[in-house]
Amino acid sequence: MSQATLFYLANLLTYGAVDVIACLGLSMQFGVAGISNFGYILFQAAGAYTAAILALPPDTANGGFQKYIGGWGLPFPVPLIGAAVVGGLIALPFTLLVGRRLTGHVAAIGLLVTAVMFNLLVTNFVPLFNGAAGLSLVPQPLQNVFNPQSQTYQWVYGAGAALLALGTYFLFRRITESPYGRSLRAMRDNGQVADSLGKDLLSMRTAMLVLGGMAAGLSGGVLVGFITLWDPGAWGYAETIVLFAAVIIGGSGNHKGAVLGALLVPLGFEEASRFIPSSLGPPGMIPALQWVAIGLLIVGFLWFRPQGVIPEPRRKVFAWAQGRLAGPRDGVAGPVTSPAMSPPAGEAATPRGGAILSTEGVVVDFGGVKAVDGVSLSVQRGRLSGLIGPNGAGKSTLLAALAGSVRVAEGRIYFEGQDVTQMPTYLRARAGLVRTFQLASEFKRLTVVENLISAVPGQRGDTFRGSLRGRRYWGREELAAIERARELMERFGLIEYADTYAGNLSGGQRRLVEIMRALMAEPRLLLLDEPMAGIHPSLARKIGANLQQLCAEGMTILLVEHELAFMDEFCDPVTVLAEGRILAEGTMVELRRHAEVVEAYLVG
Ligand code: ADP
Ligand code: MG
């Protein structure tokens, strides 16, 4: 092989590693956590710039031909570390600014706009970043010790970059495969539901913006140390699209896909265009065609193969657990105590009766329409209470208000004697106030058993730090959770679907998954919104009996249902809601004796 070819290959190794690290960060944010960070390239640019000004001598050096802040002339590896840290830190002001509104479109557009503004600032404000000219003559790592022009140096640099990429891959995989990673995927599939199960979305999104930002920053640092240039023109927001293309084409939600995508798209395209003679067509045509090709590829993949070349793997957690329980190794096997269907700790001691939840004049206002209009209600501990009323009466809105997913305009909500009116949803869930949704709300790309164990509160592997400590730290608890899930799945007849994606089940089965998942969250008060919709009446009766049993054991349930036969058999007392107001309360027998007015609503 010629010298030139060898140099070329060494270059390729470095560029490939840079792209892989960047794509892994985006894969974590977009593929796993479902955050569309359209400003991703900004994080890479910031990392690269940081590495440059940490490594560069003061800007008075070299005759002062360029201006920049910093210029500390710090040795390797400080510039690289700085690149990663700054890449992560710049996510913070953004998340603080946007706060809990940091969801879907807001985050996507907000980050895009931030990236564009940043690019404008950089290219037009000379003292900070030397304007459009960018920075050059950035010192390379250890350039005083080794000759950066030598081929050995190039190969060592490439190998170092590849090692960093490998490290990033394994770190991210560790996080993704942990209970915390499962919570991230749950958030991706349905944020509102994850919230109602006690997941702190803001904290998870912030963590992922910081972590992905660190990967982006690091990749920028590695790049600038190699090419010794920092050109603001190279970080146009459109570059983000190339990385998105890589993740989507490779397979989002799968870090292997991100690696493949990085090698196919940014690296592949860049290199392929080298071999096309530039004399072909007018100047600028090849790069323009490259954009067209990337655009077509994204659209094509989203249309024909949205899962990418290497799809996200289905995690057969249940099969894994059965294997572990069969072979008694490292003390994990053996009977696992199962608190799934028993009352929550401390509950047994509390006397039955008395209100577990009460409201005073709760009003929910949807832009002038009062969906809930002054509801004062109290839910008695240990009872299976019912809530009925015609369509649009405000039943679902009332449950949402109790769980904290809609804002209460007036009134107070007390849970376990504590005023929770202002408490965020996920904290109410952690306190034991758990709701289900009227519309299908399973985590589609989680299996049935993953849906269930995702709801278990306080798992040690379900924090960022816990996830870093690996399976040894949380594996045992995971097995116990799966064991509890197994009991429920057996009880509800879904055991054979344990490792099936919940999104592939029938409507009725998905409802069962939601009920089971809510039970796994160890609720003290469970709010069920039309849980029997789409479920066969005979099964509904079995479930009703089960729910009654749970209440006898100390749980409290408030259930919305329009099937009056179900109310007759299982619920006492029952509240009638109409046009946002409580019309009547009592046993079904009493309600049926009530005036004709009620009769009209009972039928409705
Ligand atoms: P129910 O569950 O008893 O059928 P809902 O609570 O779903 O009734 O709805 C009560 C009223 O509030 C309806 O008039 C509905 O159109 C309205 N509503 C519900 N959710 C919203 C919303 N997010 N924005 C505006 N109006 C809403
Ligand atoms: Mg409803």
Side-chain angles (χ1 to χ4, degrees), residues 549-566:
Q549 177 62 26
L550 286 172
C551 289
E553 288 164 9
M555 196 182 286
T556 308
I557 297 175
L558 176 63
L559 182 146
V560 173
E561 186 55 62
H562 59 246
E563 201 58 61
L564 290 185
F566 186 89

Side-chain angles (χ1 to χ4, degrees), residues 269-270 273 276 278 280 282-294:
F269 266 88
E270 198 57 45
S273 63
I276 303 171
S278 53
L280 213 72
M285 192 189 78
I286 302 292
L289 282 183
Q290 203 168 315
W291 281 109
V292 173
I294 287 178

Side-chain angles (χ1 to χ4, degrees), residues 366-367 369-372 389-398 406 438 529-530 560 577:
F366 289 124
V369 180
K370 288 184 174 170
V372 174
N391 255 333
K395 306 180 295 293
S396 296
T397 308
L398 178 58
V406 298
Q438 183 173 353
D529 199 349
E530 306 202 11
V560 173
L577 203 67

